[in-house]
Amino acid sequence: LSLDNAMPASGLRAALALVLCGSLSGAAPGAGEPGEVFIDDLRSGWPLDGAEGAGVAEAWLGCQVSAVSSSTAAARLAELGTALSRLSWTPDERVSCFQARVPGTVFSNLLRAGRFSELVPAGEDIFVDDNLAKVPDISVTGRDYYAMWYRTVLTLPGPRGQGSGGLNHLLRLRGTNYRVEVYIGGLRVRALEEDEGMGVPGMFHRWTFPIPQEVLGPDGRVAVAVHTSPPDFPGSANCTSVPGPCGQGGDHEIAKNAAVMQASAGWDWVQATPDRNTGIWDRVSVVTAGAALLTDPFLRTLALGKEQAVVLASGTAVNLQRHRTVAVVLRVVLRDARGRVVATAESSEPVVLEPGERREIEMELTVGGEGEEIHLWWPHTHGASYLYKASFDLLGGARDAPERWSSATMQHGFRKLSTWVDPTTQGRA
C-alpha cells in the first residue's frame, strides 16, 4: 500500500481511510492574526493564505546524501541539517537534489526524479504486474537508501516577536514516517510534543516545531530542512527469516516499531512498498499564535436528550514564552448549522502557565433547553448529517481587553446508538 497521492491513473491504487469524529480545520488568518495555513504546494511564490503580503513558500527540494552509507550518522545529520537550513546554502557534492512533492513519500519522489527508470521498460506502469518488485526493497538496500531531506524556504507574515501584538510561528507536520529531525535557520528544533530523549518516531502523530525568532531576518525569510528516515525495523517481504506462514506484514519485523502501517511490508496479494512509506505523507502547515498556542481541541458528548445535551470541551494550552509566565482563558462557542449561537463557555479563572508548560483545560457546555430541539447526525441514507460548528479561542493579555492568541474550529455531531431484539430472529440488533 502506497501513500503516494499522485500515482498514475492506470496503476493499482490503495486508499487509506481515516474515520474522524469531527474534523479540525483552521481558518486562513490575515497577516497579523493567529491561525494555520498550508504550505504543501510546488508553485514557487505561492501565498500562504491567499492574502497579499501574508507570506509565501518556495518549491520543495528533495535531497539525498551522496555517500549513502553515512547518511544517518549523527554527526553527518547535524552537519547537513545545519547547512541545508541556511538561506546561503547551495547544492554541493555532498547531496543530490531534485524537485520534490509534499505530501509525497521518499519512494514517490525518487520515482518522479527518474531514479528507477532503468528498472522498468519505457512506457510500462511501475504499479502493474510485478514491476514494483524490480525496485530495490529496503530489506536489501538498508534503511539509509530511503532516507531523505525535504527543504524549502518560507517568508513568514508579521509582525513578529514574543511581545504583545507579535506572532510566534510554528511548523506543523501532520503526518510523517518514521523518524524525523527538523532544522530551521541552522538550528535543530525539538517538537512541542516530543518527550525528553525520545525523538519523534512513529507514523500517526502531529508534530509542531517552534520556528526560532532569532533566525528570522527583517524580511521574514527562513530555510527549513526536514530529514525523514525509515522505520527502525523495516522487515522483509520475502519472509526468508520466518519458518512458518508469512505474508501479513511480511516477516512481521515491522510490528516491532511504534504505530506504523504494517501492510507497507506486504499484505495478502498487495506488494510491499520499497521504502515502507517513509517521508512526509500528509500536509504541512505554518501555525501562527500569540504568546500561547492552543492544540488538540476536542468535543465529547456527555449526555444527550431530545431537547438538551451536555458537551465536554477541552484543549491544551502551551506557553510559547521561554522566560515568562502567562495567564490564559479558553473560550468555546458552539453554533448550529445556521450560525446561531446555541452554547458558550469560558474558563472560570485564568490558567497560569510557566515557560514552556502544557496544560489541558476542560469545561462543560449545555446545549438547548425547553422548547429546543437537538439535531442529530445520521449516517448516509439514514437521515440528515447535521453538524454543529465549534470555535475555540485562547485569550491572553489584559483582563479588560484580552487578545486572541490562538484559535481553532471543528465540527461536532450528536448521535444516539441503541439496540433491540428482532422479533423474527430473537437476536439482538
Side-chain angles (χ1 to χ4, degrees):
L1 295 176
S2 173
L3 294 182
D4 175 25
N5 63 351
M7 288 186 184
S10 57
L12 176 63
R13 200 171 166 186
L16 175 66
L18 301 180
V19 182
L20 304 179
C21 297
S23 59
L24 173 66
S25 63
E33 297 180 355
E36 179 176 11
V37 289
F38 293 100
I39 61 173
D40 43 26
D41 193 288
L42 272 174
R43 293 170 292 167
S44 180
W46 180 65
L48 289 182
D49 64 0
E52 184 178 355
V56 296
E58 296 183 6
W60 287 87
L61 287 180
C63 299
Q64 287 192 304
V65 296
S66 301
V68 173
S69 61
S70 63
S71 67
T72 57
R76 183 69 160 171
L77 272 179
E79 174 191 348
L80 278 175
T82 301
L84 287 167
S85 60
R86 294 190 186 280
L87 291 173
S88 58
W89 174 81
T90 55
D92 55 37
E93 69 281 355
R94 293 178 297 174
V95 292
S96 173
C97 298
F98 44 86
Q99 189 179 56
R101 179 172 294 179
V102 174
T105 62
V106 175
F107 169 64
S108 67
N109 277 300
L110 292 178
L111 184 63
R112 290 190 190 92
R115 172 70 65 87
F116 312 114
S117 58
E118 297 179 357
L119 303 177
V120 179
E124 287 196 19
D125 191 333
I126 198 169
F127 299 107
V128 169
D129 296 328
D130 63 346
N131 285 341
L132 189 62
K134 300 174 184 177
V135 176
D137 189 79
I138 191 173
S139 61
V140 177
T141 65
R143 296 174 64 252
D144 291 349
Y145 186 88
Y146 287 109
M148 192 176 88
W149 288 94
Y150 295 79
R151 182 187 189 272
T152 191
V153 175
L154 308 177
T155 302
L156 300 175
R160 292 172 291 277
Q162 296 216 349
S164 177
L167 293 178
N168 289 284
H169 302 90
L170 306 99
L171 181 73
R172 176 167 289 165
L173 305 180
R174 205 167 70 174
T176 57
N177 188 35
Y178 174 74
R179 291 195 176 274
V180 178
E181 290 199 24
V182 173
Y183 287 78
I184 302 175
L187 302 176
R188 185 176 184 272
V189 181
R190 288 185 55 196
L192 293 179
E193 302 86 356
E194 180 179 346
D195 293 328
E196 186 68 37
M198 293 296 293
V200 286
M203 187 175 184
F204 304 108
H205 286 283
R206 291 188 299 267
W207 303 113
T208 309
F209 298 87
I211 298 177
Q213 297 286 333
E214 60 268 25
V215 303
L216 297 178
D219 57 358
R221 296 181 75 236
V222 65
V224 174
V226 180
H227 184 265
T228 61
S229 56
D232 297 344
F233 303 93
S236 172
N238 296 323
C239 304
T240 55
S241 61
V242 179
C246 172
Q248 309 293 68
D251 60 3
H252 313 302
E253 283 290 302
I254 198 169
K256 293 181 178 180
N257 299 286
V260 295
M261 190 178 182
Q262 295 191 44
S264 62
W267 203 275
D268 291 335
W269 63 88
V270 177
Q271 297 185 54
T273 306
D275 67 343
R276 305 298 186 264
N277 287 326
T278 297
I280 300 176
W281 63 267
D282 203 350
R283 303 195 71 178
V284 180
S285 61
V286 168
V287 179
T288 54
L293 173 71
L294 174 68
T295 67
D296 304 319
F298 185 70
L299 294 175
R300 181 163 64 93
T301 303
L302 299 179
L304 179 60
K306 187 175 182 179
E307 297 182 338
Q308 194 174 68
V310 179
V311 177
L312 176 68
S314 65
T316 300
V318 185
N319 185 356
L320 300 177
Q321 307 305 293
R322 299 177 185 175
H323 305 295
R324 71 182 175 95
T325 299
V326 299
V328 297
V329 170
L330 179 61
R331 176 186 297 162
V332 181
V333 178
L334 190 67
R335 292 178 171 85
D336 62 18
R338 296 177 297 170
R340 183 174 63 98
V341 175
V342 295
T344 182
E346 189 173 294
S347 308
S348 57
E349 293 289 339
V351 177
V352 178
L353 301 172
E354 298 297 325
E357 183 182 359
R358 303 168 54 88
R359 188 181 301 180
E360 186 177 14
I361 305 174
E362 293 184 344
M363 65 190 69
E364 291 186 5
L365 294 86
T366 300
V367 185
E370 186 175 353
E372 295 284 340
E373 178 185 2
I374 300 297
H375 300 281
L376 299 181
W377 178 93
W378 291 95
H380 181 57
T381 74
H382 286 68
S385 301
Y386 195 96
L387 290 172
Y388 292 80
K389 184 175 181 180
S391 59
F392 293 73
D393 289 314
L394 192 66
L395 309 175
R399 290 291 300 274
D400 56 344
E403 302 171 357
R404 182 166 61 93
W405 282 348
S406 187
S407 62
T409 61
M410 65 180 300
Q411 292 177 314
H412 184 72
F414 293 104
R415 66 177 183 175
K416 272 189 173 180
L417 302 177
S418 60
T419 66
W420 72 95
V421 176
D422 186 287
T424 303
T425 65
Q426 294 301 306
R428 186 162 291 278

